[in-house]
């Protein structure tokens, strides 16, 4: 979709404050948004700034404009604010986009205010949430019926794309729009979709290693955004989720969400790149710790059963342990490298025990619908950890970047005032 294929849907010059909404269907020309600019890249507390007078984005034929009621915080916009590892603004400009700013935000609850001319099944006034999978419907990979999240055009809305949910209005593709669970508040509904759909794909998306009843599933960061959803999804599938956390308070939180037990990683020190394979003494010490870590999992599940799935995202610090403790034929599935990108794999364990190290990213429509159906049916807790004001979003991201936000998901109110 080129920028020139889009047209403005604005109908009024009146502007509205945060916490106020125009009459449904009336679209202001400009809005308030939380904006990152290239000269501010760095700590999210400085990089994000609330700006007024930002153009409400024009729509293409398959796109939808949603008035954001609440917006969820995710780690991806910590990365966007830092401009690392990707300068998202520069990347988009090089691809022909005119904007010199980034509006992040990959989780939203809200109300549909306008639809593109080709959108048939979504009406103005609907209460919705948005999943973050974004791709070009005309991409040959997508047209061939293959998984669109693997297509060259696949993007994460509100990270790779501009006009995410940290603004009064967000622009999304029609296929991203899903019904909001009626029993959830605006803030609750905005909390879980990015991490939940990501977790759903990781656990259910890879044929041959989909989660099965009775499987042991090891979930790193069990009390965090991804972790709380992964633990619940594994438990719903009849598996036995074992969480890893860094203190007992986080352990207690994740036990309430269905973990059969937790390992406190602060009791171990063998993190990061292990000693080289020809360092016999170093290897022995490292293996001793890794085996002790694995034994803690056996103690929790009450038998010598290793994880069939290891749910990975810390990356460099934990991948060697994940590969080591994974069951033969099992899968380490990874969607991030929060602690570093240069992880080490000891290939001896990997090939002889025929393990799978699987990358995963985002969600496709089928996975997002399956996840949201569980949410609508009341089978999942959205794990709203904390609700903050719009002005507090920079600090919430800075805290997340420092690893201080560990209980579920943080949400900011945008159009909503109470809940
Ligand atoms: P989060 O809520 O901040 O949780 C991160 C968790 O990581 C914390 O609960 C923490 O648990 C754990 N952790 C921190 N340092 C660790 C270490 N050194 N070793 C082991 N665990 C450590 O973040 P999130 O929303 O779950 O996201 C996590 C990562 O996934 C981010 O990098 C995010 O960008 C990425 N992500 C990727 C996708 C995708 O589609 N590719 C989707 C969602 C998220 P303890 O300190 O208690 O162990």
């Amino acid at each position: 979709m080129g920028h020139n294929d889009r047209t403005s849907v604005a109908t009024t010059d009146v502007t509205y404050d945060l916490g106020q909404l125009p009459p449904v269907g009336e679209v202001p020309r400009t809005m308030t948004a939380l904006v990152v600019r290239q000269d501010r890249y760095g700590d999210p507390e400085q990089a994000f700034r609330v700006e007024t007078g930002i153009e409400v984005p024009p729509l293409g034929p398959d796109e939808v404009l949603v008035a954001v009621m609440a917006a969820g915080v995710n780690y991806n916009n910590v990365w966007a604010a830092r401009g690392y590892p990707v300068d998202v603004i520069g990347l988009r400009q090089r691809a022909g986009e005119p904007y010199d700013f980034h509006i992040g935000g990959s989780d939203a609850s809200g109300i549909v205010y306008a639809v593109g001319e080709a959108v048939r099944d979504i009406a103005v006034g609907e209460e919705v949430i948005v999943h973050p999978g974004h791709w070009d419907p005309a991409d040959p990979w997508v047209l061939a019926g293959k998984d669109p999240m693997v297509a060259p055009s696949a993007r994460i809305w509100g990270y790779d794309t501009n006009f995410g949910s940290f603004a009064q209005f967000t622009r999304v593709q029609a296929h991203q729009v899903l019904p909001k669970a009626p029993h959830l508040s605006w803030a609750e509904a905005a909390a879980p979709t990015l991490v939940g759909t990501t977790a759903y794909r990781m656990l259910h998306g890879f044929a041959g290693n989909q989660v099965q009843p009775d499987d042991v599933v090891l979930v790193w960061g069990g009390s965090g955004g991804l972790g709380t959803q992964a633990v619940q999804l594994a438990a719903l599938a009849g598996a036995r989720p074992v969480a890893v956390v860094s203190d007992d308070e986080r352990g207690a939180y994740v036990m309430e969400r269905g973990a059969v037990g937790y390992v406190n990683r602060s009791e171990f020190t063998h993190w990061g790149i292990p000693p080289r394979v020809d360092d016999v003494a170093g290897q022995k010490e490292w293996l001793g710790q890794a085996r002790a870590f694995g034994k803690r999992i056996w103690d929790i599940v009450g038998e010598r059963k290793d994880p069939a799935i290891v749910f990975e995202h810390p990356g460099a610090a934990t991948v060697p342990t994940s590969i080591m403790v994974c069951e033969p034929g099992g899968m380490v599935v990874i969607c991030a490298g929060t602690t570093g990108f240069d992880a080490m794999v000891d290939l001896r364990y990997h090939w002889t025990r025929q393990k799978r190290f699987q990358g995963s990213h985002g969600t496709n429509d089928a996975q997002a619908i399956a996840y949201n159906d569980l949410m609508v049916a009341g089978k999942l807790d959205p794990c709203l950890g904390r609700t903050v004001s719009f002005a507090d979003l920079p600090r919430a991201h800075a805290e997340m970047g420092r690893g201080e936000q560990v209980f579920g998901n943080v949400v900011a109110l945008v159009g909503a005032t109470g809940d």
Side-chain angles (χ1 to χ4, degrees):
M1 160 80 47
H3 178 68
N4 295 333
D5 304 328
R6 296 182 166 119
T7 50
S8 172
V9 288
T11 56
T12 176
D13 287 324
V14 178
T15 55
Y16 291 82
D17 291 334
L18 292 165
Q20 293 182 338
L21 285 178
V24 170
E26 187 177 308
V27 178
R29 217 159 293 288
T30 65
M31 63 179 178
T32 299
L34 190 75
V35 176
V36 178
R37 294 186 183 272
Q38 280 169 311
D39 61 0
R40 298 203 291 262
Y41 275 155
D43 188 83
E45 202 133 12
Q46 288 103 55
F48 284 117
R49 208 167 286 170
V50 177
E51 296 187 15
T52 55
I54 300 287
E55 171 196 8
V56 171
L59 290 190
D62 294 318
E63 292 178 329
V64 172
L65 189 75
V66 176
V68 180
M69 296 300 280
V73 172
N74 288 291
Y75 213 105
N76 60 0
N77 273 284
V78 176
W79 301 116
R82 290 176 182 161
Y84 172 86
V86 178
D87 163 12
V88 290
I89 298 168
L91 194 70
R92 289 197 293 259
Q93 284 178 324
R94 288 192 289 281
E97 282 212 22
Y99 303 104
D100 60 356
F101 59 83
H102 169 73
I103 299 175
S106 304
D107 260 312
S109 60
I111 300 170
V112 174
Y113 263 58
V115 299
E117 64 202 29
V119 175
R120 297 279 167 270
D121 50 357
I122 299 167
V124 169
E126 278 179 34
E127 297 190 354
V128 299
I129 57 108
V130 178
H131 84 65
H134 185 287
W135 47 79
D136 178 359
D139 186 322
W141 180 280
V142 178
L143 290 176
K146 299 191 215 174
D147 187 335
M149 203 55 226
V150 187
S153 65
R155 301 282 182 273
I156 300 295
W157 157 73
Y159 169 71
D160 299 308
T161 75
N162 206 353
F163 297 108
S165 62
F166 299 151
Q168 289 179 298
F169 291 91
T170 183
R171 178 172 71 202
V172 305
Q173 296 177 323
H175 69 89
Q176 294 176 258
V177 174
L178 296 171
K180 169 186 169 287
H183 66 284
L184 297 184
S185 68
W186 289 115
E188 286 169 330
T193 310
L194 178 130
V195 284
T197 55
T198 303
Y200 190 95
R201 178 180 179 87
M202 291 169 75
L203 293 171
H204 291 280
F206 299 100
N209 291 88
Q210 289 145 314
V211 64
Q212 301 296 321
D214 207 39
D215 278 352
V216 176
V217 177
L218 186 72
V219 180
W220 292 98
S223 66
L226 279 171
T228 44
Q229 296 302 315
V231 162
Q232 293 185 81
L233 287 167
L236 266 181
R240 292 180 277 171
V242 175
V244 188
V245 293
S246 55
D247 65 40
D248 292 330
E249 200 188 347
R250 299 178 193 193
Y253 182 83
V254 72
M255 292 294 287
E256 281 168 28
R257 266 114 204 127
V260 296
Y262 67 88
V263 183
N264 185 343
R265 69 178 169 89
S266 62
E267 293 165 21
F268 298 85
T269 55
H270 65 294
W271 307 119
I273 296 175
R276 298 193 62 110
V277 284
D278 50 7
D279 172 358
V280 177
Q283 275 276 313
K284 196 170 167 212
E285 195 186 329
W286 188 87
L287 269 176
Q289 283 245 356
R291 286 199 176 117
F293 180 88
K295 182 166 179 311
R296 293 288 294 278
I297 302 170
W298 295 347
D299 291 344
I300 287 167
V301 299
E303 58 178 316
R304 289 170 72 104
K305 192 164 165 49
D306 290 319
I309 298 181
V310 180
F311 187 95
E312 250 289 352
H313 49 94
T318 52
V319 160
T321 305
S322 294
I323 301 262
M324 157 91 195
V325 301
C326 179
E327 149 181 286
M331 172 175 71
V332 177
V333 58
I334 185 162
C335 71
T338 317
T339 64
F341 305 126
D342 43 1
M344 204 283 279
V345 176
D346 186 333
L347 294 170
R348 293 171 297 178
Y349 298 104
H350 200 60
W351 91 65
T352 57
R353 300 190 184 151
Q354 314 207 39
K355 303 179 183 187
R356 176 172 179 180
F357 189 28
Q358 174 70 50
S360 187
H361 192 48
T363 179
N364 63 29
D365 286 335
Q367 290 155 348
I369 289 167
Y371 172 80
N372 195 53
D373 283 352
L374 292 172
M375 188 60 73
V376 171
K379 294 191 172 152
L380 289 167
D381 178 344
C383 292
L384 173 61
R386 191 155 79 84
T387 306
V388 300
S389 70
F390 195 72
D392 268 339
L393 273 169
R395 190 184 321 151
H397 282 87
E399 288 167 355
M400 185 175 226
R402 293 193 295 268
E404 291 168 13
Q405 287 182 351
V406 288
F407 297 108
N409 300 290
V410 176
V411 166
L413 298 180
V414 187
T417 45
D419 55 359

